[in-house]
Amino acid sequence: MRLVFEKSRPGQRAGRIPCPVDLAAAKLPGELLRRHPPRLPELPEVEIVRHFTELTARNFGIDTGFYPLGSCTMKHNPRVNERVAALPGFRDAHPLQEEEGAQGSLELMHHLQEMLAEITGLDAVSLQPAAGSQGELTGLMLMRAYFADRGEGETRRTIIVADTAHGTNPASVTMAGYELQKVETDPRGNIDLDDLRSRVDESTAGLMLTNPSTLGLFDEHIEEIAAIFHEAGGLLYYDGANLNAVCGISRPGDMGFDIVHINLHKTFSQPHGGGGPGGGPIAVRERLEPYLPVPAVVRDGERFHLDHDRPKSIGKVRAFTGPFGVFVRSYAFMLAWGKELRTMSEDAVLNANYLLARLKEAYDLPFDRLCMHEFVLSARGLKREHGVTALDVAKRLMDYGFHPPTIYFPLIVPEALMIEPTETETKETLDAFADAMLAIAREAAQEPETLKAAPHGRPVRRLDEVKAAKRAIVRYRFEDHPDLSGEQTASPEIQAPKGV
Amino acid sequence: MTYVSLTDGDREAMLEAIGVAGLDELFRDIPAGVRFDRELAFGAPLSEQEIVERLQGLADRNVHTGQEVSFLGAGVYDHYAPAVVDAILQRGEFLTAYTPYQPEMSQGVLQAIFEYQTVICELTGMDISNASGYDGTTVAADACYVAKHATGRQKIVLAETLNPQVRQVVKTYAPGFGMEVVEIPHRGGVTDADELRASAEDAACVIFQQPNFFGCLEAAPDLAAAANDAGALAVAHVDPISLGVLEAPGKYGCAIAIGEGQGAGNPLSYGGPHYGFLAAREEFTRRMPGRIVGETTDVAGERGYVLTLQTREQHIRREKATSNITTNQTLLALGGLIYLCWLGPEGLRELGETCMALSDHAKEQLSGSLLFSDQTTFKEFAIRAGRPAQEVVRAARAQGVHPGYPLGRDYEGLDDALLVAVTERRSIEDIERLVEALAA
Amino acid sequence: MAAQESYPDELLYHREHDWARIEGDEAVLGITWFAQDALGELVHFEPPGDGDPVAKDGIYGEVESVKAVSDLISPLSGDVLEVNQQVVDAPETVNEDPYGEGWLVRIRLADPAESGELLDAAAYRALLAEQ
């Protein structure tokens, strides 16, 4: 398929700007003037629409089919959310206008904050962070501010992270200026308490944990973990990526966590958009409230205000009050559930356990327990006996019309397949997926070469990621654009990492 | 009921297949002490109709740009986004797709990001762009992180004429980076290059804005040269709408170009979601934060696109990653790409010229009130109203005109000053109404 | 085209899958077949600078494949004399010939006695068998 630049024809255009005819042209100092126009595509509107429509034919979304990426919570994105986000009162409201003109937005935000506080079991909420990983960083900044305020800023240098943690956790730790320590997982899938106790001391600022973990397992010792940290004077941070398992069933605040980030684009149905936007609001215990980003959304009787007078605030992590359009969608989603939100998590856990029951004979199960909203299988047996890897299973699933699950994560499970169905899938879809996974396990034994050459039915076959990394062609170079198709590709079998 | 898809019959059959007697058993690993055993304090579930009514009621309590003639800008703007943007963004294959980790399923998004990266490089004159950052403020923090590792220096220099929220976000991130922040005051609405050079002696980077927050045109090539002389990276925060008429930062010595993409294709939406862009010279490739899409071929020799240089990112490099960013603003960036395709190079130039011409016309009508009368401006300019800006705004809004941003919120001694933004959506008649509203 | 698995007897090995070839008061360093196989095809080598000190058990650089980054652990202490530019330009050389053309750095040894703490080929193979 051609790039939009390759379809461009000089002299074509789509848009027209209403230019007032009687206006004098503006004068710019010569040294600031653009010398060469940017090479934007020149196309009429019909060609623009066709180009992007052609792109959609090469893309798969939740609207297309089952999308069981672990820890991503790919649930259905209700269309009413799009309708309400587009209401002109929301869509065309300027964030810097005076508060009198933004009471609708402020009230929505305030109510959303209250709902998130109720779900998390915590006291105060900021909606400002733009994504989960920004929420993590904000939470760590709150910890810094808290300890600095208590005169412990110099001594508390370390954050402990589980070895099953998502990579954003350690990356956030470094960006916040902390040092990292990893704690191990025990054979039952819980945090190893002995390892944990050996690492916690007066230099510990806190723990970053998700519960259930990325293994889909609820840590049975969570109360003890919280006690270990609080006794040492540390704080607990909850990565909300897996919140879909426990809404209305167990609250991070009650588990002992002090700071929680929520992923609105996971648990609360904000569409993923191919990589964003998202929302990463944080909820905190009262003693951390003074440090929250500015401005805070506060209520005074029937009026809502932006409070900028927050001397202990860490500052701002993003412009304005956060990604408001995301709040509208999540808020609408939460109103649809109301007090029955618990059913969302119950069905998420039920769907995951059902799939687990159907698949655990054909694939290896690293942890023999009931799961929560997701579970991890290993293709290690297939690899040992037939040379078929998790990567091959994932590519073959595409031929069956499914998006693959997450592969090679968490790192502690070799040939990992992390599957999260979510609550919006029918039993028929779950059965079709399970049937496909079982068929693939049989194919691994009978015709492994079919798997190794998969996918067979997509617009492209397996792509040479080695070439991409070495050549680093990251923009169209017009006349100088290289033609890679003539070049020898790497060996047809693109290897997966063997478990580094 | 609501958004689940199981019948009671399904649930029974599934519990049996799992081998448990009831749903409660699935949660048996949760210790009793942390169970939530009351109902959530929310209302009853609402039907779709009720949701729309509730949200409409809230939206009706906002004032939006369709209801008043707005000259409010200050970082996000009332530019016209064509219908074709939403028509494409609402397609489920884009809207409901995840990050393209499985490239065979995601060639649509991957190619679109590649095209977006290309247009950003074209606008800014740079070699490499990422797939987007959260907004125009966080990309400034990202640029400082790149500069820190590229230069080994710990100081950040910010022009006071850089958007106040951008500066505030940089100051929030800097302590975690182990960096200190220094600001250079403006002189008559612009930045002095000699002062900048002196301040940048031991700086990792200097960030200035073009056009700046007051709408004034900086001597950007001189500022970049001053940063380079001092051994600091020159970082320009630029308005994409201006880049059809103003020179690209990559052509006048900048290492990194950043900015807020909202004006190019996204609605105001009370502050977000929008997208930030970040582009750099080739030598900073391995330090780039965020997702990057690269071109390659498949086993049959077909051209295709993949996320590349992933070893920079958090899911591989973890604590040594160039950033912790994962979910970014892809859909909004895609909106920017569609918008720029719709404009084309001629359209972008005309748009910039129109904004400038309209804005200059407004300045002429208000020539007695200009705060920085010596400066050339792009689409915004500052005026003094002679009385507290908040009062002026209130009075003007009562007449259906929003006259602009009260600069006293961010700058000392400017409590009677307003920042007036004139985009292509404003007409000559609108400007007359502004003048009247300000005179009243 | 990757090499066949081998662990030459004349080399000494570090348990983090790095090798050393002692040549008088100098040593040549690289990564073993096991390491390059685990990483997959290398796409980048981040070397130390000429003259930089390296410490036994310390990190002296990085290699990357598409999906993984690996620190290079020095088996011995010394100063960098030479970096293999061929690997910088074509990192896949390490996959093709990890002990020959795929050498990474040459160092001047600070303390030749350190080599006594390294594994010989047999001991290294035994270590791999336990993995």
Side-chain angles (χ1 to χ4, degrees):
Chain A
M1 182 187 160
R2 286 178 297 156
L3 291 161
V4 70
F5 312 99
E6 292 168 320
K7 299 178 181 177
S8 174
R9 291 289 172 268
Q12 291 278 22
R13 64 187 287 183
R16 290 279 181 278
I17 311 299
C19 302
V21 287
D22 296 329
L23 224 44
K27 301 272 190 299
L28 272 175
E31 67 274 13
L32 299 182
L33 265 178
R34 184 115 195 165
R35 303 218 186 300
H36 303 286
R39 289 170 294 186
L40 300 177
E42 296 178 80
L43 290 167
E45 183 170 310
V46 64
E47 289 300 312
I48 295 174
V49 172
R50 286 186 182 157
H51 175 75
F52 287 96
T53 302
E54 196 181 348
L55 288 175
T56 62
R58 297 160 78 86
N59 221 70
F60 189 98
I62 300 170
D63 280 7
T64 318
F66 188 49
Y67 217 124
L69 288 174
S71 272
C72 297
T73 314
M74 301 299 285
K75 63 176 72 181
H76 171 65
N77 306 126
R79 278 309 159 339
V80 62
N81 298 353
E82 299 304 309
R83 178 175 285 188
V84 292
L87 292 170
F90 294 142
R91 189 190 159 99
D92 300 325
H94 196 295
L96 292 174
Q97 68 176 301
E98 292 59 32
E99 288 172 8
E100 302 88 77
Q103 287 296 300
S105 294
L106 296 177
E107 180 174 344
L108 188 154
M109 292 174 63
H110 193 266
H111 195 196
L112 179 61
Q113 288 172 180
E114 288 181 330
M115 294 176 87
L116 293 175
E118 168 75 343
I119 288 169
T120 57
L122 288 168
D123 305 309
V125 173
S126 171
L127 301 176
Q128 201 177 91
S133 48
Q134 206 190 31
E136 286 174 25
L137 183 58
T138 307
L140 292 168
M141 290 180 185
L142 291 179
M143 284 193 193
R144 276 181 72 114
Y146 172 79
F147 286 120
D149 210 15
R150 294 160 66 89
E152 296 173 58
E154 296 303 309
T155 47
R156 297 206 178 258
R157 308 285 329 127
T158 313
I159 299 284
I160 301 179
V161 167
D163 60 358
T164 53
H166 199 241
T168 56
N169 291 177
S172 301
V173 167
T174 307
M175 285 179 81
Y178 275 116
E179 290 153 27
L180 179 75
Q181 274 204 43
K182 277 186 281 197
V183 64
E184 289 171 4
T185 300
D186 73 14
R188 211 167 138 67
N190 298 316
I191 295 284
D192 183 323
L193 286 179
D194 291 330
D195 189 31
L196 186 65
R197 277 193 206 95
S198 73
R199 294 180 188 278
V200 177
D201 60 28
E202 62 282 343
S203 74
T204 308
L207 172 74
M208 288 181 88
L209 191 64
T210 181
N211 191 31
S213 68
T214 56
L215 297 166
L217 303 173
F218 196 95
D219 200 306
E220 296 161 308
H221 307 127
I222 188 62
E223 291 166 298
E224 195 163 345
I225 293 170
I228 292 170
F229 273 86
H230 288 139
E231 272 155 30
L235 293 170
L236 278 92
Y237 180 93
Y238 181 87
D239 177 337
N242 295 323
L243 191 61
N244 208 48
V246 292
C247 287
I249 294 166
S250 182
R251 307 194 303 177
D254 299 335
M255 294 177 207
F257 291 94
D258 303 296
I259 311 173
V260 173
H261 89 256
I262 299 123
N263 296 70
L264 296 180
H265 48 293
K266 296 187 180 187
T267 320
F268 296 110
S269 87
Q270 162 66 29
H272 253 94
I282 49 173
V284 301
R285 235 175 254 297
E286 191 165 357
R287 61 174 179 271
L288 291 158
E289 191 272 346
Y291 311 101
L292 285 175
V294 68
V297 178
V298 298
R299 179 177 201 152
D300 177 15
E302 290 306 307
R303 308 288 293 171
F304 298 88
H305 302 288
L306 290 173
D307 178 15
H308 291 268
D309 182 20
R310 302 179 53 82
K312 294 195 173 188
S313 165
I314 57 170
K316 281 183 88 60
V317 295
R318 192 207 173 277
F320 316 114
T321 47
F324 180 75
V326 176
F327 308 154
V328 177
R329 293 174 175 89
S330 293
Y331 184 62
F333 178 80
M334 290 164 76
L335 290 178
W337 273 110
K339 60 189 172 184
E340 291 173 17
L341 190 66
R342 184 189 173 103
T343 307
M344 172 187 83
S345 293
E346 287 174 346
D347 273 8
V349 171
L350 177 60
N351 279 1
N353 276 286
Y354 177 67
L355 266 187
L356 175 60
R358 288 218 48 200
L359 294 176
K360 67 183 183 186
E361 303 306 320
Y363 291 84
D364 290 5
L365 186 62
F367 297 92
D368 193 7
R369 281 171 63 179
L370 290 175
C371 66
M372 299 224 65
H373 65 312
E374 66 187 4
F375 59 96
V376 179
L377 297 173
S378 172
R380 176 185 231 177
L382 294 185
K383 186 174 172 194
R384 202 170 39 233
E385 284 155 45
H386 311 295
V388 161
T389 64
L391 183 78
D392 299 324
V393 172
K395 301 302 182 191
R396 184 62 176 149
L397 269 168
M398 299 177 189
D399 293 332
Y400 283 85
F402 300 109
H403 192 285
T406 306
I407 51 175
Y408 299 107
F409 186 82
L411 302 173
I412 64 169
V413 175
E415 301 299 325
L417 295 150
M418 184 164 68
I419 297 170
E420 179 184 359
T422 85
E423 74 282 3
T424 55
E425 298 299 334
T426 64
K427 181 171 176 293
E428 288 71 34
T429 301
L430 301 178
D431 282 327
F433 177 74
D435 291 342
M437 288 286 285
L438 296 174
I440 290 171
R442 284 193 297 274
E443 284 175 349
Q446 288 153 18
E447 41 172 312
E449 56 293 341
T450 304
L451 276 71
K452 301 206 85 59
H456 303 273
R458 298 300 306 167
V460 294
R461 311 278 305 278
R462 292 200 196 186
L463 289 153
D464 188 343
E465 298 191 15
V466 170
K467 181 189 287 190
K470 281 159 84 166
R471 297 297 301 270
I473 298 166
V474 293
R475 61 186 163 90
Y476 183 63
R477 297 184 190 164
F478 300 90
E479 314 79 54
D480 300 324
H481 198 64
D483 179 3
L484 298 184
S485 59
E487 299 177 16
Q488 265 301 320
T489 59
S491 69
E493 191 176 288
I494 309 297
Q495 298 290 333
K498 291 181 168 69
V500 179
Chain B
M1 158 227 305
T2 323
Y3 302 122
V4 293
S5 309
L6 300 178
T7 66
D8 289 338
D10 290 334
R11 291 195 181 85
E12 265 183 57
M14 290 162 76
L15 289 168
E16 197 182 319
I18 295 165
V20 293
L23 199 57
D24 288 343
E25 271 194 64
L26 295 179
F27 296 95
R28 65 191 182 212
D29 287 344
I30 299 182
V34 302
R35 287 186 191 238
F36 182 72
D37 45 23
R38 62 168 170 83
E39 217 173 39
L40 287 165
F42 297 159
L46 296 185
S47 66
E48 180 170 323
Q49 177 187 319
E50 289 167 311
I51 291 169
V52 172
E53 284 164 7
R54 174 82 70 92
L55 274 286
Q56 183 69 68
L58 288 169
D60 287 344
R61 297 180 57 209
N62 277 1
V63 176
H64 62 83
T65 55
Q67 295 170 318
E68 62 184 359
V69 175
S70 180
F71 293 88
L72 182 57
V76 289
Y77 301 96
D78 183 20
H79 285 291
Y80 182 77
V84 71
V85 172
D86 264 354
I88 292 164
L89 295 188
Q90 283 293 311
R91 293 189 66 112
E93 299 90 339
F94 284 136
L95 182 70
T96 69
Y98 189 65
T99 300
Y101 285 129
Q102 291 288 356
E104 301 89 341
M105 305 295 271
S106 318
Q107 285 300 295
V109 167
L110 286 163
Q111 181 172 328
I113 295 173
F114 184 82
E115 293 174 354
Y116 162 83
Q117 288 169 187
T118 304
V119 302
I120 295 296
C121 287
E122 281 299 304
L123 289 180
T124 59
M126 293 294 177
D127 303 315
I128 181 167
S129 164
N130 68 15
S132 68
Y134 302 130
D135 71 358
T137 65
T138 56
V139 287
D142 290 335
C144 293
Y145 206 52
V146 173
K148 170 189 158 88
H149 291 111
T151 65
R153 295 178 173 186
Q154 312 308 326
K155 188 163 109 175
I156 300 162
V157 174
L158 305 178
E160 195 194 11
T161 51
L162 175 63
N163 183 309
Q165 293 196 63
V166 175
R167 287 184 279 130
Q168 197 173 7
V169 168
V170 169
K171 288 180 199 166
T172 303
Y173 274 75
F177 294 174
M179 300 179 87
E180 56 154 323
V181 179
V182 161
E183 289 188 353
I184 311 181
H186 73 92
R187 303 289 176 213
V190 292
T191 306
D192 180 276
D194 292 328
E195 275 187 66
L196 189 153
R197 183 182 295 104
S199 211
E201 273 314 311
D202 50 346
C205 61
V206 174
I207 309 181
F208 60 88
Q209 183 172 324
Q210 179 74 316
N212 71 26
F213 187 68
F214 298 133
C216 299
L217 293 179
E218 300 271 13
D222 296 345
L223 298 184
N228 291 328
D229 287 347
L233 297 189
V235 180
H237 190 289
V238 288
D239 179 354
I241 298 300
S242 72
L243 292 173
V245 298
L246 292 182
E247 185 59 292
K251 303 283 192 216
Y252 57 79
C254 291
I256 302 174
I258 55 178
E260 172 56 61
Q262 176 274 333
N266 301 162
L268 289 165
S269 195
Y270 198 65
H274 301 141
Y275 66 101
F277 57 88
L278 187 151
R281 288 199 308 252
E282 187 171 9
E283 69 204 75
F284 301 105
T285 294
R286 305 203 82 78
R287 302 204 186 280
M288 285 286 288
R291 301 242 165 81
I292 295 177
V293 172
E295 189 174 295
T296 186
T297 51
D298 75 358
V299 291
E302 290 295 309
R303 184 169 69 182
Y305 297 90
V306 290
L307 292 178
T308 194
L309 304 171
Q310 291 190 66
T311 46
R312 296 163 303 113
E313 295 189 73
Q314 48 75 28
H315 56 292
I316 295 177
R317 203 172 276 265
R318 298 175 73 88
E319 65 270 16
K320 296 188 199 162
T322 54
S323 169
N324 68 347
I325 191 169
T326 317
T327 295
N328 46 87
Q329 307 293 119
T330 299
L331 194 72
L332 287 311
L334 188 47
L337 169 66
I338 297 163
Y339 175 75
L340 291 166
C341 289
W342 179 83
L343 272 183
E346 282 300 297
L348 184 63
R349 185 182 52 75
E350 282 173 16
L351 178 57
E353 289 171 351
T354 300
C355 290
M356 274 193 84
L358 282 168
S359 172
D360 277 1
H361 176 78
K363 278 170 78 174
E364 266 169 57
Q365 311 307 309
L366 296 166
S367 58
S369 318
L370 298 176
L371 184 53
F372 304 120
S373 49
D374 296 336
Q375 301 298 339
T376 311
T377 53
F378 178 59
K379 72 193 190 196
E380 281 179 295
F381 58 92
I383 58 169
R384 278 205 188 275
R387 56 199 195 287
Q390 322 284 8
E391 274 175 35
V392 179
V393 171
R394 199 158 282 129
R397 284 190 105 182
Q399 295 184 53
V401 175
H402 197 306
Y405 180 73
L407 285 167
R409 287 193 200 170
D410 305 306
Y411 295 90
E412 291 249 351
L414 291 185
D415 288 339
D416 67 330
L418 285 169
L419 183 63
V420 179
V422 187
T423 71
E424 80 285 9
R425 300 204 72 183
R426 301 288 81 84
S427 64
I428 307 281
E429 294 72 33
D430 289 339
I431 293 170
E432 276 168 34
R433 286 187 63 188
L434 171 69
V435 173
E436 278 165 28
L438 287 172
Chain C
M1 175 66 75
Q4 293 277 61
E5 185 168 8
S6 72
Y7 304 104
D9 289 327
E10 69 272 17
L11 302 179
L12 293 173
Y13 297 84
H14 188 285
R15 65 186 175 286
E16 292 292 341
H17 314 295
D18 308 80
W19 58 261
R21 173 163 48 238
I22 314 285
E23 295 177 355
D25 63 352
E26 294 177 6
V28 178
L29 310 179
I31 62 172
T32 68
W33 186 94
F34 177 85
Q36 66 78 34
D37 183 63
L39 283 164
E41 185 170 341
L42 294 194
V43 299
H44 185 68
F45 168 39
E46 192 69 35
D50 277 352
D52 282 357
V54 301
K56 178 178 174 333
D57 302 328
I59 298 169
Y60 70 88
E62 268 181 5
V63 284
E64 290 178 20
S65 64
V66 168
K67 291 283 201 268
V69 183
S70 190
D71 290 327
L72 297 165
I73 307 297
S74 185
L76 301 160
S77 307
D79 297 308
V80 175
L81 292 173
E82 196 187 344
V83 166
N84 185 355
Q85 191 61 33
Q86 182 180 345
V87 171
V88 173
D89 295 335
E92 67 273 15
T93 310
V94 174
N95 303 100
E96 291 159 10
D97 187 8
Y99 306 110
E101 306 238 320
W103 66 274
L104 297 179
V105 297
R106 172 183 290 276
I107 63 171
R108 185 190 322 284
L109 293 173
D111 181 6
E114 284 174 339
S115 61
E117 295 171 48
L118 297 176
L119 305 168
D120 65 12
Y124 181 65
R125 281 197 205 93
L127 177 77
L128 291 182
E130 286 163 32
Q131 295 263 338

